[in-house]
Amino acid sequence: MRYRNLLLFLTLAAVWGSAFMAIKAGVGGPDAPAYFYDAPVLFAAVRFDIAGVIMLAYAVWVADRWLPSERNEWATIGVGAVLIISGYHALLFVGQRGTTSAAAAVIVSLSPVLTTAFARAFLPEERLTVVGIVGMVLGLVGVVVLSRPDPANLISSRFEALVFAAALCFALGSVLTRRLDSELATETMEAWSMIGGAILMHATSLGLGETVSGIPDTGETAALAYLAIVSSALGFLIYFELLDRLGPIEINLVSYVAPIFAALTGFLFLGEYIGAPTVAGFVIILVGFVLVKHRAIQSELQRHRTDR
């Protein structure tokens, strides 16, 4: 069982890490724009059109209730659709037009630290310790090191800022969905959140005036299929299973393994260079996460020693 969990964990890290490469393959960059370069939000919307239908079919199959009925359940779906699906992915897809797969994955790996901060904000009885505050600061420093913003030329670093905003959306959405504490099955919540998020992104795309012409080439079509079927549908199924088996502390660590796969796939398929700032930013963010979560990690290690 332990080896099976490890295999699933690495599979999830690979699937979610390589998703950054697939996004980059679909949107390209200023010097080499791809099919969805001028319509990144539309790209994200189509991804979740497909993934939402797959997840809804799965929810109908496995969940006790595939259709929400309570107001609290729809509120949870609303938060998921607005922040976790629409806000996170729209900002991420736009941001990746100007940064590498590895850099985007490293910035997103800050999400567990941001989640902890938002949890403290919405649960006033909980406070960050001095060590936790230092961890938060280190996490933010890691993003600065990675993006290297130039006050004289903020345009060059705005893409990293958008990816950071995406991580903020994901972290806030995760906390608010937990705070609402709906009894709705996770599969049902994710399916309707994906569908709702896709609708919101289509509306946003129309508002932005995004258009595409012709049809994407084979590589860009493959990237879309990979994102919808493998990264979204299959990835979330693995995530749900591991969440039950490992708990939130261990599964959060997937955010720190995913950048490795993002960097490798970006290098192998897109020829992206892995620079020192990317590595340094990742290490700093990782140290920040360990400091913020030091008590939970200590408890988890103690539990493993006791189980042995």
Side-chain angles (χ1 to χ4, degrees):
M1 178 65 72
R2 189 169 290 180
Y3 289 112
R4 182 184 180 189
N5 289 345
L6 176 61
L7 179 60
L8 287 174
F9 181 91
L10 292 176
T11 300
L12 181 61
V15 164
W16 279 3
S18 57
F20 292 93
M21 176 276 299
I23 294 171
K24 188 67 176 179
V27 298
D31 298 328
Y35 181 77
F36 286 102
Y37 180 77
D38 291 321
V41 180
L42 177 62
F43 185 25
V46 175
R47 168 188 179 177
F48 283 101
D49 288 337
I50 301 169
V53 170
I54 294 173
M55 284 299 297
L56 183 59
Y58 182 72
V60 171
W61 181 34
V62 302
D64 294 332
R65 287 190 302 114
W66 63 270
L67 185 64
S69 57
E70 303 293 333
R71 180 179 300 178
N72 191 47
E73 295 173 347
W74 283 112
T76 303
I77 289 169
V79 170
V82 172
L83 293 174
I84 297 177
I85 302 299
S86 179
Y88 170 69
H89 289 92
L91 289 166
L92 176 63
F93 277 52
V94 175
Q96 275 210 245
R97 293 189 305 171
T99 190
T100 66
S101 307
V106 169
I107 295 173
V108 169
S109 73
L110 186 60
S111 292
V113 181
L114 297 173
T115 299
T116 300
F118 280 124
R120 299 302 187 267
F122 285 95
L123 298 172
E125 68 275 9
E126 298 186 30
R127 290 288 184 270
L128 281 174
T129 64
V130 174
V131 175
I133 293 173
V134 172
M136 278 293 301
V137 172
L138 277 178
L140 296 174
V141 168
V143 174
V144 173
V145 169
L146 185 64
S147 59
R148 292 171 293 168
D150 179 5
N153 185 22
L154 290 177
I155 292 178
S156 64
S157 59
R158 75 185 189 277
F159 294 107
E160 285 83 2
L162 288 171
V163 177
F164 179 67
L168 284 171
C169 282
F170 189 88
L172 179 59
S174 298
V175 171
L176 291 179
T177 52
R178 287 203 299 268
R179 183 178 175 85
L180 287 169
D181 195 24
S182 169
E183 296 297 324
L184 191 64
T186 305
E187 296 85 355
T188 302
M189 188 273 287
E190 286 291 345
W192 287 105
S193 293
M194 286 179 177
I195 292 171
I199 293 171
L200 287 173
M201 286 187 286
H202 276 295
T204 302
S205 177
L206 286 173
L208 293 173
E210 292 185 345
T211 59
V212 292
S213 59
I215 58 174
D217 64 24
T218 303
E220 290 155 351
T221 302
L224 176 60
Y226 183 84
L227 286 169
I229 300 171
V230 181
S231 297
S232 297
L234 178 61
F236 275 110
L237 291 180
I238 296 174
Y239 175 80
F240 296 147
E241 184 170 354
L242 287 179
L243 184 62
D244 290 335
R245 294 184 186 183
L246 304 179
I249 300 300
E250 289 189 53
I251 195 60
N252 263 345
L253 295 177
V254 82
S255 297
Y256 295 94
V257 182
I260 298 173
F261 290 96
L264 289 174
T265 54
F267 173 76
L268 292 173
F269 291 96
L270 304 177
E272 294 180 334
Y273 173 70
I274 305 172
T278 301
V279 177
F282 171 73
V283 171
I284 294 172
I285 291 173
L286 177 58
V287 172
F289 170 79
V290 172
L291 291 177
V292 169
K293 290 285 191 180
H294 69 284
R295 290 180 175 174
I297 292 172
Q298 287 174 350
S299 298
E300 194 72 22
L301 291 174
Q302 182 61 40
R303 183 179 68 81
H304 278 295
R305 293 192 191 102
T306 302
D307 290 342
R308 289 177 182 177

